[in-house]
Amino acid sequence: MDFFEQLGPAALGSRLRRLSEQMTGQAAEVYSLYHVPVEPRWFPVLYAVATQPERHVGEIAELIGQTHAAVSQVVKELVKQDLVRVQRGEADLRRSVVSLTEKGAALWPTLQQQTADVRQATEALLHETRHNLWLAIGEMEYALSRQSLASRVKAIRDQRVAAEVQIIDYAPQYQPDFKQLNAEWIERYFRLEAADLKALDHPDEYIIQRGGHILLAAYGGQMVGTCALIPMDNTTYELAKMAVSPAAQGLGIGWRLGEAAIAKARSLGAQRLYLESNTKLGPALSLYHKLGFRKTVSGPPSPYERCNIQMELPLFP
């Protein structure tokens, strides 16, 4: 119990697993009381077959909320025990249906009585507790169907990371970080081109001195992301050189940089943001769409071979 007391609700899954193992072990004793040669984990499938015969494995799986593979395995074990049979359905010869054998049908009345007794005992057990576990499980299942545990944890993590990420302005000492972050993703999918090297090797000359801006994301004492705003005309900036370290992907760094870049462009009086990308970069395009960018009908000629999509974001209607 010390383990669960220390972790609290963080160990909910482990606590439920222990309770499940405890109840499954005790359920085996119940089957022995009634001299029923059935394993507890077989019961949902056997019950479904007895009450709704001539169902195929997929329908049984959907009915009891288990996977097709798990139900298929249990059916095989029940066949070995001569409790169910699998045969071609009369309505659809392409599908095999499951039904009780004579042995299974003879066992069914005893299993029904056992089930009724277990229901009565379990209801009494639930009344002994302050909280009705059966109702609570239903509420928990509903809540998890609305939003998974993983997405809930991700939201908490992203909120924490967002508070720890710092968006800072470029300074000459960050040039190696700026180049490495961009070269890393470009070389993973494409190749560095002359236009890349000019901007990455000499960002002061090709971006800053031309009225552009570079933003970097600092997290955990390291530079983990960057992007640049490069003026195209008096009202338009290009969002370029967006990169996030693979070690920091999935933490919402790209979203933070994108939001910061849009806010910066607005503060500079820009009316439009423009960017170039490649349709191979699914996650990047998904981010741009979430930020509000849409594909342009036509854009200026790109200096990059890898560019096959151009997008824009109007900042002021």
Side-chain angles (χ1 to χ4, degrees), residues 229-239 261-275 291-294 296 311-317:
L229 288 171
I230 304 174
M232 298 178 67
D233 55 43
N234 291 335
T235 62
T236 303
Y237 278 81
E238 178 184 1
L239 177 61
I262 292 171
K264 182 69 174 179
R266 283 199 169 102
S267 72
L268 294 169
Q271 296 183 16
R272 174 176 170 264
L273 274 179
Y274 165 88
L275 65 80
L291 288 169
F293 284 87
R294 296 295 179 264
T296 61
M311 307 179 76
E312 65 179 355
L313 170 65
L315 297 179
F316 298 104

Side-chain angles (χ1 to χ4, degrees), residues 6-29:
Q6 290 175 14
L7 287 178
L12 178 61
S14 297
R15 187 77 178 265
L16 288 174
R17 189 176 302 111
R18 191 186 71 161
L19 177 61
S20 175
E21 291 171 352
Q22 183 180 17
M23 294 197 69
T24 300
Q26 295 182 8
E29 298 177 23

Side-chain angles (χ1 to χ4, degrees), residues 167-171 174 213-216 264:
I167 305 298
I168 63 175
D169 290 321
Y170 174 82
Y174 301 133
H213 298 269
I214 297 174
L215 302 175
L216 294 110
K264 182 69 174 179

Side-chain angles (χ1 to χ4, degrees), residues 25-92:
Q26 295 182 8
E29 298 177 23
V30 173
Y31 284 97
S32 296
L33 286 175
Y34 291 80
H35 305 290
V36 174
V38 172
E39 293 187 17
R41 64 188 182 87
W42 296 349
F43 177 76
V45 175
L46 194 57
Y47 184 88
V49 173
T51 56
Q52 300 192 34
E54 304 298 316
R55 298 273 185 160
H56 60 78
V57 170
E59 290 176 325
I60 296 172
E62 184 177 355
L63 183 67
I64 66 177
Q66 294 185 10
T67 66
H68 188 285
V71 172
S72 180
Q73 181 60 40
V74 170
V75 167
K76 290 179 182 178
E77 295 177 18
L78 290 172
V79 168
K80 289 181 181 179
Q81 298 298 318
D82 192 28
L83 295 175
V84 304
R85 68 170 64 89
V86 179
Q87 56 192 7
R88 297 294 180 185
E90 294 182 3
D92 187 350

Side-chain angles (χ1 to χ4, degrees), residues 206-268:
Y206 285 92
I207 299 177
I208 305 298
Q209 293 175 17
R210 295 183 179 183
H213 298 269
I214 297 174
L215 302 175
L216 294 110
Y219 176 67
Q222 294 183 322
M223 295 301 165
V224 295
T226 187
C227 68
L229 288 171
I230 304 174
M232 298 178 67
D233 55 43
N234 291 335
T235 62
T236 303
Y237 278 81
E238 178 184 1
L239 177 61
K241 299 295 178 277
M242 171 80 83
V244 175
S245 168
Q249 288 179 357
L251 299 179
I253 305 295
W255 176 259
R256 287 290 309 278
L257 281 166
E259 284 191 314
I262 292 171
K264 182 69 174 179
R266 283 199 169 102
S267 72
L268 294 169

Side-chain angles (χ1 to χ4, degrees), residues 100-273:
L100 291 179
T101 61
E102 291 185 9
K103 179 180 177 181
L107 182 66
W108 178 235
T110 302
L111 197 57
Q112 283 181 295
Q113 185 59 65
Q114 174 188 318
T115 302
D117 293 348
V118 169
R119 179 191 292 271
Q120 185 175 343
T122 304
E123 288 175 349
L125 172 63
L126 291 172
H127 282 303
E128 292 180 17
T129 62
R130 286 180 55 196
H131 307 288
N132 189 307
L133 182 60
W134 182 256
L135 297 179
I137 288 175
E139 291 178 316
M140 179 69 76
E141 288 174 337
Y142 174 76
L144 290 175
S145 71
R146 300 273 300 186
Q147 184 181 7
S148 71
L149 178 60
S151 67
R152 293 169 187 269
V153 173
K154 184 179 184 300
I156 297 296
R157 184 202 62 179
D158 289 352
Q159 185 177 17
R160 172 180 54 78
V161 170
E164 297 175 3
V165 172
Q166 288 183 298
I167 305 298
I168 63 175
D169 290 321
Y170 174 82
Q173 66 264 33
Y174 301 133
Q175 184 274 328
D177 297 297
F178 179 62
K179 180 176 182 179
Q180 179 184 346
L181 287 165
N182 275 281
E184 195 170 20
W185 80 261
I186 293 172
E187 292 178 327
R188 189 185 315 140
Y189 297 103
F190 310 102
R191 67 176 184 85
L192 282 170
E193 302 177 38
D196 291 311
L197 294 173
K198 288 180 180 179
L200 298 180
D201 287 333
H202 308 285
D204 284 280
E205 178 182 353
Y206 285 92
I207 299 177
I208 305 298
Q209 293 175 17
R210 295 183 179 183
H213 298 269
I214 297 174
L215 302 175
L216 294 110
Y219 176 67
Q222 294 183 322
M223 295 301 165
V224 295
T226 187
C227 68
L229 288 171
I230 304 174
M232 298 178 67
D233 55 43
N234 291 335
T235 62
T236 303
Y237 278 81
E238 178 184 1
L239 177 61
K241 299 295 178 277
M242 171 80 83
V244 175
S245 168
Q249 288 179 357
L251 299 179
I253 305 295
W255 176 259
R256 287 290 309 278
L257 281 166
E259 284 191 314
I262 292 171
K264 182 69 174 179
R266 283 199 169 102
S267 72
L268 294 169
Q271 296 183 16
R272 174 176 170 264
L273 274 179

